[in-house]
Amino acid sequence: MDSNSVRPVNQSFFKALDLCCQKITEKMGDKAITEWRIEDYNRLSSQLGKQTGVYLSVNTLKRIFGRLKTPQRYFPQKATRDALSQFIGYRDWQEFELVFATLKIENVTSISTDQENDIEVPKDTKVPRLVVAIFAALVLVILAIVFFWKNTAESMQVKLVCENPFGSVPHTAVFKLNSKVSFDENEEYQVDFMDEALVSSIKGKNKITKFFRNPGVVYATLLYHNKPIDTASAYMQTKGWVANSGNDTSRAFPIAGLKSLDPKNIYVSPKQLDSAGLDTHKPFVVGFSNIKPSHINGDNFSFSCKIFAEQSRPGTQCVETTIIILGEKHRHLLKLNRRSCVAFSEYKFSEVRVLGSEQFLGALAFNPENGGEVMIKVENKQASVVLNGKKVLFTKYQRSIGKVMGIKILFNGIGKAVSPELHDLSTHETF
């Protein structure tokens, strides 16, 4: 048995645990703990795991809540107590106990230094117990705030760094933590790589190594207590426009050895796809990428391109076209479908994202079977989309994506991009 699971009898420990359990129950809904069933404990285990990374079994939760009787009162280990307190909004169990102490301070008897030193003080000069209690409570609150602020301030100074951000395809990138001030090297952070890799934990001087197989930009977000505090990027560069493809996210098929394609007619044939080892009898995606550093402002540019796409393909009902403008920090994305499939359409300009499954995007209906013109214009963080000469979208965003670092054009099936052009509206620099 874990030495931390059962502690010497100390009612203050168990009172704090009971209060923590009460707050967890309140967070989970109005149902009293006496009415909880297996599905309620399973739901708590799932939510606790998603929020804190700590998954507890039903029996462990029942012991914690006192619903599963044990010879001695069960007191969970520190990692479990930290997770329980984090679930209800505290940094860790120590912070929760500090706040808990202030809630019960009115029950604390004042310390009589007079009796300890045998000094008789007139009764009318003694400080009232209520004043002592209030003063003690204020001291504890201040200590808790200072403790929390100190640790949070240190953590906010921690930055995520990619040691080798620029690479070719494929690329193994190394990420680490860096800070100009000292910080707790036992404090754990998470790094979210979006869809490019699994979320990973990191602390102190440890490093994370990730393998990226596709051309593009990977945005890594550093999380502290599930809150983003910094970002770092890795760039898988190309020499001009190249093509790659795949049937799923686990494999990538470089086409024509990732050799440069004609920018005026970006296209790969079924024969080239077959030579790359791609099974074209299954649904597949072809991606055209041009990834390189630039000085073009990602919040002030114009992009245009003529696109051709297949009408249909066996096993694929909705043939979509996706255009992605990759910046240093974030990206713009436009996913287009024919009218019958606009539920799968989407647009994203920096932090602003709208899904066709949540909002009808009929204006973005686009059929490029015989060719279609797409223009995206972003001017001072105001974005507009023009399809075949008709303005179909206008939106605004707040977070800059930085300099333009690449363009990707994706097709479900075989597609063609003709003369894509992106230039800065102020400097007229062309990508």
Side-chain angles (χ1 to χ4, degrees):
M1 180 178 293
D2 192 311
S3 60
N4 290 326
S5 297
V6 178
R7 297 175 60 164
V9 176
N10 185 325
Q11 291 305 313
S12 66
F13 290 146
F14 299 124
K15 286 180 179 178
L17 180 62
D18 288 340
L19 179 60
C20 183
C21 290
Q22 177 187 331
K23 291 186 176 296
I24 291 174
T25 306
E26 292 171 357
K27 178 175 179 177
M28 296 299 293
D30 298 328
K31 187 187 293 187
I33 190 66
T34 53
E35 300 175 7
W36 276 33
R37 299 293 180 265
I38 294 294
E39 57 268 21
D40 297 303
Y41 289 102
N42 281 329
R43 186 164 60 92
L44 173 57
S45 176
S46 176
Q47 292 189 21
L48 183 70
K50 288 179 180 178
Q51 182 173 325
T52 68
V54 176
Y55 290 86
L56 302 179
S57 68
V58 169
N59 285 341
T60 298
L61 288 171
K62 284 185 175 181
R63 285 197 294 270
I64 291 172
F65 281 84
R67 307 307 298 169
L68 189 64
K69 301 302 180 184
T70 55
Q72 290 181 295
R73 178 68 193 275
Y74 179 77
F75 199 86
Q77 59 184 336
K78 185 179 184 302
T80 302
R81 300 198 305 273
D82 285 343
L84 295 173
S85 55
Q86 288 166 13
F87 186 67
I88 55 175
Y90 294 87
R91 181 178 181 275
D92 53 23
W93 181 258
Q94 183 178 10
E95 182 183 322
F96 176 77
E97 282 192 314
L98 279 171
V99 176
F100 169 74
T102 67
L103 296 176
K104 57 191 291 292
I105 193 67
E106 64 272 11
N107 297 321
V108 178
T109 56
S110 58
I111 299 174
S112 177
T113 55
D114 309 323
Q115 292 179 356
E116 293 175 359
N117 295 295
D118 295 324
I119 300 175
E120 184 176 351
V121 179
K123 292 182 179 182
D124 58 353
T125 64
K126 289 185 177 180
V127 179
R129 291 177 58 188
L130 178 60
V131 175
V132 173
I134 292 173
F135 177 76
L138 287 173
V139 170
L140 285 172
V141 169
I142 292 171
L143 288 174
I145 291 173
V146 170
F147 176 81
F148 179 76
W149 176 85
K150 180 177 180 294
N151 285 276
T152 301
E154 288 178 356
S155 298
M156 293 300 287
Q157 294 292 323
V158 176
K159 302 297 181 183
L160 182 65
V161 176
C162 182
E163 289 187 334
N164 54 338
F166 293 97
S168 56
V169 180
H171 179 51
T172 297
V174 181
F175 297 85
K176 67 178 182 180
L177 300 178
N178 192 21
S179 178
K180 294 181 179 179
V181 300
S182 61
F183 68 100
D184 185 355
E185 294 192 357
N186 293 316
E187 194 73 55
E188 192 171 86
Y189 300 78
Q190 284 73 44
V191 183
D192 186 352
F193 295 93
M194 297 177 67
D195 299 328
E196 300 295 335
L198 295 175
V199 174
S200 298
S201 298
I202 187 172
K203 61 182 180 181
K205 296 180 180 179
N206 294 349
K207 296 182 180 181
I208 296 175
T209 301
K210 291 293 181 180
F211 176 78
F212 303 117
R213 57 174 56 84
N214 295 313
V217 181
V218 172
Y219 305 104
T221 302
L222 182 65
L223 303 173
Y224 178 67
H225 289 171
N226 296 319
K227 295 181 179 179
I229 60 173
D230 194 31
T231 59
S233 300
Y235 309 94
M236 278 54 73
Q237 301 176 97
T238 65
K239 295 180 180 179
W241 284 97
V242 300
N244 70 321
S245 184
N247 290 114
D248 53 47
T249 57
S250 63
R251 298 188 67 188
F253 298 85
I255 301 170
L258 291 178
K259 293 181 180 178
S260 299
L261 303 173
D262 180 1
K264 295 181 180 179
N265 187 39
I266 304 172
Y267 171 79
V268 289
S269 67
K271 184 177 180 180
Q272 287 175 301
L273 292 172
D274 184 66
S275 298
L278 182 70
D279 185 357
T280 56
H281 296 291
K282 297 180 180 179
F284 64 90
V285 174
V286 173
F288 299 118
S289 307
N290 187 4
I291 312 299
K292 63 180 180 180
S294 83
H295 297 290
I296 297 174
N297 187 343
D299 308 308
N300 201 57
F301 69 89
S302 178
F303 168 84
S304 62
C305 183
K306 189 166 186 177
I307 287 171
F308 294 83
E310 293 182 303
Q311 174 61 39
S312 62
R313 172 162 286 277
T316 303
Q317 288 183 310
C318 297
V319 179
E320 65 188 26
T321 302
T322 304
I323 298 171
I324 306 173
I325 310 299
L326 298 158
E328 296 171 293
K329 304 173 183 177
H330 304 286
R331 63 181 181 175
H332 303 318
L333 178 148
L334 181 65
K335 186 178 292 185
L336 301 170
N337 282 272
R338 295 170 176 84
R339 181 166 296 279
S340 59
C341 295
V342 291
F344 300 103
S345 296
E346 173 189 348
Y347 68 83
K348 181 181 186 298
F349 289 94
S350 190
E351 82 280 0
V352 176
R353 184 187 185 194
V354 176
L355 302 176
S357 58
E358 299 174 355
Q359 180 177 322
F360 182 61
L361 298 178
L364 295 183
F366 184 65
N367 185 356
E369 180 184 1
N370 298 313
E373 298 279 353
V374 179
M375 188 177 83
I376 301 172
K377 186 176 183 180
V378 178
E379 192 168 9
N380 299 322
K381 299 179 183 176
Q382 299 182 70
S384 59
V385 175
V386 177
L387 300 178
N388 292 324
K390 181 180 179 181
K391 187 174 181 179
V392 297
L393 175 67
F394 176 80
T395 189
K396 301 178 181 180
Y397 63 91
Q398 298 295 323
R399 295 164 60 187
S400 171
I401 72 166
K403 305 298 183 183
V404 173
M405 303 297 286
I407 308 170
K408 293 177 76 75
I409 304 175
L410 312 177
F411 295 94
N412 283 124
I414 297 175
K416 180 170 67 174
V418 177
S419 300
E421 181 181 308
L422 187 150
H423 66 270
D424 192 298
L425 293 177
S426 298
T427 66
H428 304 293
E429 177 183 343
T430 300
F431 189 81

